[in-house]
Protein backbone atom coordinates (compact mmCIF):
# COMPACT_ATOMS: atom_id res chain seq x y z
CA UNK A 1 0.00 0.00 0.00
CA UNK A 2 1.35 3.42 -0.94
CA UNK A 3 1.18 6.24 1.56
CA UNK A 4 1.07 9.99 1.00
CA UNK A 5 4.24 11.46 -0.41
CA UNK A 6 5.46 8.23 -1.99
CA UNK A 7 6.28 8.38 -5.68
CA UNK A 8 4.25 6.04 -7.86
CA UNK A 9 5.51 5.95 -11.42
CA UNK A 10 3.19 6.25 -14.38
CA UNK A 11 2.85 2.97 -16.27
CA UNK A 12 2.54 4.83 -19.56
CA UNK A 13 5.59 7.04 -19.16
CA UNK A 14 7.92 6.72 -22.12
CA UNK A 15 5.26 5.48 -24.55
CA UNK A 16 5.54 7.58 -27.68
CA UNK A 17 2.93 5.94 -29.92
CA UNK A 18 -0.80 6.34 -29.31
CA UNK A 19 -1.34 2.71 -30.41
CA UNK A 20 0.70 1.47 -27.43
CA UNK A 21 -1.44 3.20 -24.81
CA UNK A 22 -3.85 1.06 -22.72
CA UNK A 23 -7.10 0.07 -24.44
CA UNK A 24 -10.17 2.06 -23.46
CA UNK A 25 -12.97 0.82 -21.23
CA UNK A 26 -16.13 0.88 -23.36
CA UNK A 27 -19.40 2.15 -21.88
CA UNK A 28 -22.56 1.56 -23.90
CA UNK A 29 -25.18 4.32 -24.21
CA UNK A 30 -28.31 4.16 -26.34
CA UNK A 31 -30.58 6.85 -27.72
CA UNK A 32 -32.31 4.50 -30.12
CA UNK A 33 -36.05 5.21 -30.38
CA UNK A 34 -38.60 3.76 -32.81
CA UNK A 35 -40.50 7.09 -33.12
CA UNK A 36 -39.61 10.70 -32.33
CA UNK A 37 -41.45 14.01 -32.97
CA UNK A 38 -40.18 16.07 -35.87
CA UNK A 39 -38.49 19.31 -34.72
CA UNK A 40 -40.09 21.16 -37.66
CA UNK A 41 -43.75 20.13 -37.62
CA UNK A 42 -44.11 17.98 -34.49
CA UNK A 43 -45.32 14.90 -36.42
CA UNK A 44 -44.26 11.53 -34.95
CA UNK A 45 -41.73 10.01 -37.34
CA UNK A 46 -40.46 6.47 -37.68
CA UNK A 47 -36.81 5.53 -37.32
CA UNK A 48 -34.97 5.48 -40.64
CA UNK A 49 -31.69 3.97 -39.39
CA UNK A 50 -29.38 3.73 -36.41
CA UNK A 51 -26.00 5.44 -36.17
CA UNK A 52 -23.04 4.66 -33.92
CA UNK A 53 -20.56 7.19 -32.52
CA UNK A 54 -17.63 6.90 -30.12
CA UNK A 55 -17.00 9.66 -27.59
CA UNK A 56 -13.88 9.97 -25.45
CA UNK A 57 -14.65 10.73 -21.82
CA UNK A 58 -12.66 11.28 -18.64
CA UNK A 59 -10.91 8.01 -17.88
CA UNK A 60 -11.28 5.39 -15.18
CA UNK A 61 -8.56 6.18 -12.66
CA UNK A 62 -8.98 2.95 -10.69
CA UNK A 63 -7.98 0.75 -13.63
CA UNK A 64 -5.79 3.52 -15.15
CA UNK A 65 -7.55 3.16 -18.50
CA UNK A 66 -9.22 5.65 -20.80
CA UNK A 67 -13.01 5.54 -21.07
CA UNK A 68 -14.95 5.66 -24.31
CA UNK A 69 -18.70 6.00 -24.65
CA UNK A 70 -20.14 3.92 -27.49
CA UNK A 71 -23.29 5.85 -28.37
CA UNK A 72 -26.01 4.31 -30.53
CA UNK A 73 -28.69 6.76 -31.65
CA UNK A 74 -31.51 6.77 -34.18
CA UNK A 75 -32.02 8.88 -37.27
CA UNK A 76 -35.60 9.63 -38.31
CA UNK A 77 -37.32 10.82 -41.48
CA UNK A 78 -40.34 13.12 -41.55
CA UNK A 79 -42.63 12.35 -44.51
CA UNK A 80 -44.43 15.68 -44.14
CA UNK A 81 -41.33 17.96 -44.04
CA UNK A 82 -39.17 15.64 -46.19
CA UNK A 83 -36.19 16.01 -43.88
CA UNK A 84 -33.95 13.77 -41.80
CA UNK A 85 -33.13 14.47 -38.17
CA UNK A 86 -31.16 12.76 -35.41
CA UNK A 87 -32.14 12.13 -31.84
CA UNK A 88 -30.79 14.85 -29.55
CA UNK A 89 -27.41 13.89 -28.05
CA UNK A 90 -26.37 17.40 -27.04
CA UNK A 91 -26.37 16.50 -23.34
CA UNK A 92 -23.26 14.35 -23.90
CA UNK A 93 -21.19 16.16 -26.54
CA UNK A 94 -21.36 18.96 -29.12
CA UNK A 95 -22.31 17.97 -32.67
CA UNK A 96 -19.47 16.33 -34.62
CA UNK A 97 -17.21 16.25 -31.55
CA UNK A 98 -15.16 13.23 -30.47
CA UNK A 99 -15.03 14.38 -26.83
CA UNK A 100 -17.68 14.83 -24.13
CA UNK A 101 -18.45 18.18 -22.53
CA UNK A 102 -16.65 17.04 -19.37
CA UNK A 103 -13.37 16.73 -21.31
CA UNK A 104 -13.84 20.02 -23.16
CA UNK A 105 -14.67 21.97 -20.00
CA UNK A 106 -11.74 20.47 -18.11
CA UNK A 107 -9.27 21.17 -20.93
CA UNK A 108 -10.37 24.79 -21.36
CA UNK A 109 -10.29 25.31 -17.59
CA UNK A 110 -6.70 24.00 -17.42
CA UNK A 111 -5.56 26.55 -20.00
CA UNK A 112 -7.69 29.56 -19.07
CA UNK A 113 -7.90 29.33 -15.26
CA UNK A 114 -4.69 27.46 -14.42
CA UNK A 115 -2.62 29.11 -17.16
CA UNK A 116 -1.11 25.89 -18.50
CA UNK A 117 0.33 25.85 -22.03
CA UNK A 118 -1.56 23.69 -24.55
CA UNK A 119 1.02 20.88 -24.56
CA UNK A 120 1.14 20.76 -20.76
CA UNK A 121 -2.67 20.69 -20.60
CA UNK A 122 -2.71 17.78 -23.04
CA UNK A 123 -0.21 15.87 -20.90
CA UNK A 124 -2.13 16.72 -17.72
CA UNK A 125 -5.35 15.33 -19.20
CA UNK A 126 -3.61 12.05 -20.00
CA UNK A 127 -1.64 11.75 -16.77
CA UNK A 128 -4.45 12.64 -14.36
CA UNK A 129 -7.62 11.77 -16.28
CA UNK A 130 -6.55 9.16 -18.86
CA UNK A 131 -8.00 10.96 -21.84
CA UNK A 132 -5.75 11.69 -24.82
CA UNK A 133 -6.51 15.06 -26.41
CA UNK A 134 -4.06 16.53 -28.95
CA UNK A 135 -2.81 19.96 -27.88
CA UNK A 136 -4.00 21.50 -31.17
CA UNK A 137 -7.55 20.39 -30.34
CA UNK A 138 -7.32 22.10 -26.95
CA UNK A 139 -6.04 25.23 -28.70
CA UNK A 140 -9.05 25.18 -31.05
CA UNK A 141 -11.44 24.85 -28.08
CA UNK A 142 -9.85 27.76 -26.23
CA UNK A 143 -9.70 30.03 -29.27
CA UNK A 144 -13.31 29.23 -30.22
CA UNK A 145 -14.43 30.31 -26.74
CA UNK A 146 -17.51 32.06 -28.04
CA UNK A 147 -19.19 29.35 -30.07
CA UNK A 148 -18.20 26.18 -28.22
CA UNK A 149 -18.03 28.00 -24.91
CA UNK A 150 -21.72 28.88 -25.18
CA UNK A 151 -22.58 25.23 -25.77
CA UNK A 152 -20.59 24.16 -22.71
CA UNK A 153 -22.26 26.86 -20.56
CA UNK A 154 -25.68 25.72 -21.79
CA UNK A 155 -24.80 22.12 -20.88
CA UNK A 156 -23.59 23.10 -17.38
CA UNK A 157 -26.74 25.14 -16.69
CA UNK A 158 -29.04 22.35 -17.86
CA UNK A 159 -27.18 19.88 -15.61
CA UNK A 160 -27.62 22.21 -12.60
CA UNK A 161 -31.36 22.56 -13.23
CA UNK A 162 -31.79 18.79 -13.59
CA UNK A 163 -29.86 17.95 -10.40
Amino acid sequence: MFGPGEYVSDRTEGITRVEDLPKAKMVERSRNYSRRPCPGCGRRCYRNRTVERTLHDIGDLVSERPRDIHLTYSQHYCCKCHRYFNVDTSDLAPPKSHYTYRVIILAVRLVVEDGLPYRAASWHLWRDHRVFVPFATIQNWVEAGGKKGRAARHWRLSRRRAG
Side-chain angles (χ1 to χ4, degrees):
M1 196 107 179
F2 296 103
E6 284 191 53
Y7 176 74
V8 181
S9 63
D10 185 6
R11 293 185 315 149
T12 61
E13 193 170 354
I15 295 177
T16 56
R17 295 179 4 164
V18 176
E19 299 83 28
D20 295 336
L21 294 174
K23 298 297 176 207
K25 177 181 178 183
M26 294 298 285
V27 177
E28 299 289 329
R29 294 277 188 264
S30 178
R31 302 284 165 83
N32 192 6
Y33 304 108
S34 59
R35 292 184 187 181
R36 294 305 286 179
C38 173
C41 65
R43 184 175 186 271
R44 285 176 44 112
C45 304
Y46 286 100
R47 175 179 51 222
N48 184 46
R49 67 182 182 139
T50 57
V51 184
E52 295 178 351
R53 179 177 172 192
T54 301
L55 299 171
H56 304 294
D57 196 14
I58 296 195
D60 181 14
L61 296 180
V62 174
S63 65
E64 295 187 349
R65 289 172 50 193
R67 180 176 156 193
D68 286 346
I69 298 174
H70 184 78
L71 179 63
T72 304
Y73 61 96
S74 52
Q75 184 182 64
H76 301 266
Y77 178 72
C78 180
C79 299
K80 188 176 179 184
C81 299
H82 302 289
R83 67 183 244 191
Y84 292 90
F85 62 94
N86 295 327
V87 170
D88 184 31
T89 59
S90 63
D91 60 326
L92 291 173
K96 301 180 183 176
S97 176
H98 295 279
Y99 299 94
T100 62
Y101 280 117
R102 291 173 23 166
V103 174
I104 296 170
I105 290 168
L106 182 60
V108 172
R109 184 178 296 151
L110 286 171
V111 173
V112 174
E113 292 179 7
D114 297 344
L116 288 177
Y118 299 123
R119 286 182 193 265
S122 176
W123 170 241
H124 175 83
L125 286 171
W126 172 255
R127 186 192 65 206
D128 293 345
H129 302 285
R130 291 295 185 228
V131 59
F132 177 73
V133 182
F135 72 90
T137 303
I138 297 173
Q139 183 178 4
N140 290 339
W141 290 338
V142 171
E143 290 176 359
K147 182 181 172 189
K148 292 185 182 180
R150 248 182 265 125
R153 275 193 302 277
H154 171 72
W155 178 78
R156 275 196 308 255
L157 289 174
S158 67
R159 300 296 288 176
R160 281 188 201 146
R161 290 181 194 136

